[in-house]
Amino acid sequence: MARLLTPRFALLTAADLGYFTAIGIAVYALPLYVTGPLHESEAAAGLAFGAFAVSALLLRPFAGRLADRIGRRPLLVGGAALAALSLALTALATGLPMIIALRLLLGVAEAAFFVAGFAALVDIAPPDRLGEALSLNSLGLYLGLAAGPPLGEVLAQRSFPTAWLTAGALCVAAAVASVFIGETGTPTTTNTKLIHRPAVPPSIALCTSLAAIGGFLAFAALRAQDEGFENTSLPLFLYGATVVVSRVVFAKIPDRLPPLTLGAAALAVIALGMILTALPHTLVAGSVVLGIGVTFSTPAFFAAVFATAAPHQRGAASGTASAFIDIGLGGGPILLGLVANASIPAALVTGGALAAAGCLWTLALRRAH
């Protein structure tokens, strides 16, 4: 069996950990910074928070094509360096327009780093261990997003500039790690397309899973409050902890099952979990079930996506799939939020219905394949 845990794999995972810990700091600090020192409204904080997704979504396909043409390392290093600049300069922001401009710049960085990172991972992972590689590498992302907010709280208590400069320094560390990874792909002069069309069908299935999960992340604390939880963050903690632990314990499973079969099963589990979160007294169980579903959904669908791409098309495939991630995580909460105005349990059930529809779509893809 080919070796997976190589120095390049470790460096890529370390770069992800540094980058996404910085993003986690920003997740915590930005709303407080906008409504505190800048004296803006909660609506302004929401606008600032979501601004990066606009540029990230629009630029991911371009980043994918660029990663195929000039290689992965320039985008990894450049994306991390651009994120460091955006986050560090936030310490100097004195108004909402500058904050929004810096968040849009962070979206450019996100598109470059995220797309190139996935393409590089597929380059360096043994083909027969790609699912395991996706599972283990994603720990950098999940641990970073989990550790970033508590770290941001500690730093912001000292001062907001301390939090922003620390986040910038973590991105600099990610850029340095990316330099030592080296170039993983072979730049091509082939006229690759912005959208890798064969990646679209499995990406649609991935999108349904993330739309459901986005709704859960948005309304889990409110649901816990309605259920009388003293610690309303418990469902979110259980969900995240389940994903992290399960991806370590079951890392080899995605390589032992066909990706679309595993993806359909994962979507069915996510649908069940969403329904459990909506029922009385089963929010804790539902959060754990959701974590189990997400453990397998992302590795399965990314494996299906990259199975459609030749080595010189991996950047385009990554850009296409990650654009659907933005659509799911951004559009899911908006769609389910409309339902939540009437009933949060109804919104969670709607999320389950989206995942169930994705399951049926994936089964149809499997039969066609």
Side-chain angles (χ1 to χ4, degrees), residues 31-128:
L32 297 177
Y33 190 57
V34 172
T35 58
L38 299 188
H39 307 292
E40 297 285 352
S41 66
E42 284 78 6
L47 176 62
F49 192 93
F52 91 98
V54 176
S55 50
L57 175 60
L58 292 175
L59 293 177
R60 285 193 198 275
F62 294 94
R65 182 161 68 177
L66 195 60
D68 287 330
R69 288 192 172 181
I70 68 173
R72 325 305 190 202
R73 184 166 69 169
L75 271 72
L76 280 169
V77 176
L82 203 59
L85 180 66
S86 169
L87 292 167
L89 287 178
T90 305
L92 303 177
T94 56
L96 186 62
M98 186 174 179
I99 289 287
I100 291 176
L102 290 171
R103 293 290 290 177
L104 289 170
L105 183 63
L106 184 64
V108 178
E110 171 82 3
F113 185 86
F114 193 90
V115 168
F118 266 113
L121 176 65
V122 180
D123 291 338
I124 64 179
D128 60 344

Side-chain angles (χ1 to χ4, degrees), residues 201-364:
S203 295
I204 291 174
L206 174 64
C207 183
T208 64
S209 72
L210 294 170
I213 292 303
F216 168 76
L217 296 176
F219 301 114
L222 294 175
R223 178 62 178 153
Q225 188 177 59
D226 291 342
E227 287 282 283
F229 281 52
E230 183 176 345
N231 182 356
T232 56
S233 67
L234 179 63
L236 292 169
F237 171 78
L238 290 173
Y239 161 78
T242 301
V243 173
V244 170
V245 172
S246 297
R247 285 204 172 161
V248 173
V249 174
F250 302 113
K252 296 182 182 295
I253 296 297
D255 294 316
R256 296 176 179 174
L257 294 172
L260 292 178
T261 300
L262 182 61
L267 279 165
V269 173
I270 290 172
L272 173 62
M274 291 296 291
I275 292 172
L276 288 174
T277 63
L279 296 175
H281 314 303
T282 55
L283 178 56
V284 167
S287 302
V288 173
V289 171
L290 279 174
I292 294 171
V294 171
T295 295
F296 300 110
S297 61
T298 305
F301 287 117
F302 264 99
V305 164
F306 286 116
T308 70
H312 69 277
Q313 298 172 323
R314 286 170 181 165
S318 178
T320 300
S322 58
F324 278 91
I325 292 177
D326 286 330
I327 294 170
L329 289 178
I334 294 173
L335 175 63
L336 299 188
L338 298 175
V339 181
N341 283 332
S343 165
I344 289 177
L348 295 170
V349 170
T350 303
L354 285 173
C359 176
L360 295 176
W361 170 261
T362 306
L363 290 173

